[in-house]
C-alpha cells in the first residue's frame, strides 16, 4: 500500500469524556484516533459519514477474511494486492 506523507499537525482542545468517546468509536472501527478523526472531519454530511463507517467495517472484515485464507491455504500475494487496492479507495 502506498504510504501517504502526513506532516501537518492539528491540535484541538477536548474534554476527557470527549476523548474517551472518540477513542472508543475509533477502536470499534479498528482505526487509529487520527484516521477516525480525519474521516469524520473530512466527511460532508451524516450520510457520507455513515457510508465511510460502513466501508471501513467492510474493509476490516475483508482483510480478516484475506488473512484467514492466506493462513489456511497459503499466500501467493494476489489477495493481498487486491486488498491493497481496496484500502486505497478514498
Amino acid at each position: 500500500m502506498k504510504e501517504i506523507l502526513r506532516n501537518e499537525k492539528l491540535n484541538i482542545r477536548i474534554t476527557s469524556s470527549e476523548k474517551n468517546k472518540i477513542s472508543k468509536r475509533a477502536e470499534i472501527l479498528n482505526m487509529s484516533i487520527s484516521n477516525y478523526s480525519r474521516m469524520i472531519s473530512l466527511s460532508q454530511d451524516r450520510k457520507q459519514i455513515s457510508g465511510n463507517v460502513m466501508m471501513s467495517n467492510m474493509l476490516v472484515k475483508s482483510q480478516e477474511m484475506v488473512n484467514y485464507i492466506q493462513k489456511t491455504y497459503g499466500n501467493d500475494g494476489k489477495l493481498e494486492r487486491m486488498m491493497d487496492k481496496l484500502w486505497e479507495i478514498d
Side-chain angles (χ1 to χ4, degrees), residues 12 22 26 31-42:
I12 62 171
I22 292 168
M31 298 175 82
S32 68
I33 292 172
S34 291
N35 285 340
Y36 175 79
S37 299
R38 192 178 308 107
M39 178 189 71
I40 296 299
S41 297
L42 296 175

Side-chain angles (χ1 to χ4, degrees), residues 15-90:
T15 66
S16 294
S17 174
E18 290 168 331
K19 183 178 179 184
N20 289 335
K21 286 179 187 177
I22 292 168
S23 297
K24 286 179 185 176
R25 290 175 183 175
E27 184 179 340
I28 288 169
L29 296 174
N30 198 28
M31 298 175 82
S32 68
I33 292 172
S34 291
N35 285 340
Y36 175 79
S37 299
R38 192 178 308 107
M39 178 189 71
I40 296 299
S41 297
L42 296 175
S43 296
Q44 298 297 318
D45 57 35
R46 288 185 184 268
K47 215 178 222 183
Q48 186 177 359
I49 292 170
S50 177
N52 286 346
V53 168
M54 192 164 36
M55 175 65 93
S56 294
N57 284 333
M58 290 184 342
L59 284 171
V60 168
K61 292 298 180 191
S62 298
Q63 186 68 59
E64 289 171 356
M65 288 189 302
V66 166
N67 293 346
Y68 172 78
I69 291 168
Q70 289 175 334
K71 183 178 177 182
T72 305
Y73 300 103
N75 181 1
D76 67 359
K78 186 175 181 179
L79 284 175
E80 194 61 37
R81 288 190 298 277
M82 292 170 66
M83 279 306 303
D84 287 346
K85 289 180 184 179
L86 287 175
W87 281 108
E88 290 174 6
I89 295 173
D90 192 309

